[in-house]
Amino acid sequence: MSNDHLQSVLAQTAEERFEYFLDAVGEEREIWILINSDEHFLKLHGEEDGGFEYLPIWPSSDFAEHYAEDSSELTPKSIPLPQFLNRWLPGLDKDGIEVGVFPGADNSVWISEPKDLEQDLRDELARF
């Protein structure tokens, strides 16, 4: 992916990046997260509504790598879409962890409940 394309997508609003994410994941059938050397996935903390935890996710390794470029600890990891839908999202829901879809250059992020994101992804898959 060209750096110009990467920067132009990252400059979009959180809602525009969410739509980009759905399209890309619908085609590629994988989600990207960041993990550390112990294989623990990155969780971030939101400040709104008294605070909450969320799992940041990306539509490609390029975007995840760009997000982690200042950290030597984090590396992108692919999760096949069926595994994300059937195991990750129910587990996140059970643990009370939300999903931060595609954090951008300005640190804005589309926060979604796991069940809502599951429905959005299944709706997107139904288009193909």
Side-chain angles (χ1 to χ4, degrees), residues 2 8 22 25-27 32 36 38-39 55 57 61 64 72 74 80 101 103 105 111-112 120 123-124:
S2 77
S8 71
L22 291 177
V25 169
E27 287 183 32
W32 290 84
N36 66 15
D38 295 328
E39 298 278 319
L55 169 71
I57 59 175
S61 65
S72 60
L74 298 171
V101 179
I111 300 293
S112 181
D120 290 338
D123 289 349
E124 182 66 22

Side-chain angles (χ1 to χ4, degrees), residues 45-123:
H45 300 274
E47 300 302 321
E48 300 92 42
D49 302 324
F52 59 92
E53 288 186 316
Y54 66 92
L55 169 71
I57 59 175
W58 291 269
S60 77
S61 65
D62 292 332
F63 292 114
E65 275 178 24
H66 182 268
Y67 186 86
E69 69 185 0
D70 293 334
S71 172
S72 60
E73 280 282 306
L74 298 171
T75 57
K77 177 179 173 63
S78 171
I79 302 172
L81 187 55
Q83 181 182 356
F84 188 75
L85 288 169
N86 297 322
R87 292 189 21 220
W88 278 79
L89 288 174
L92 292 169
D93 188 50
K94 184 174 91 53
D95 293 341
I97 299 172
E98 298 187 37
V99 184
V101 179
F102 202 173
D106 61 356
N107 289 326
S108 67
V109 62
W110 185 273
I111 300 293
S112 181
E113 294 285 335
K115 287 182 179 180
D116 293 340
L117 181 58
E118 177 184 1
Q119 188 59 56
D120 290 338
L121 286 167
R122 291 192 187 282
D123 289 349

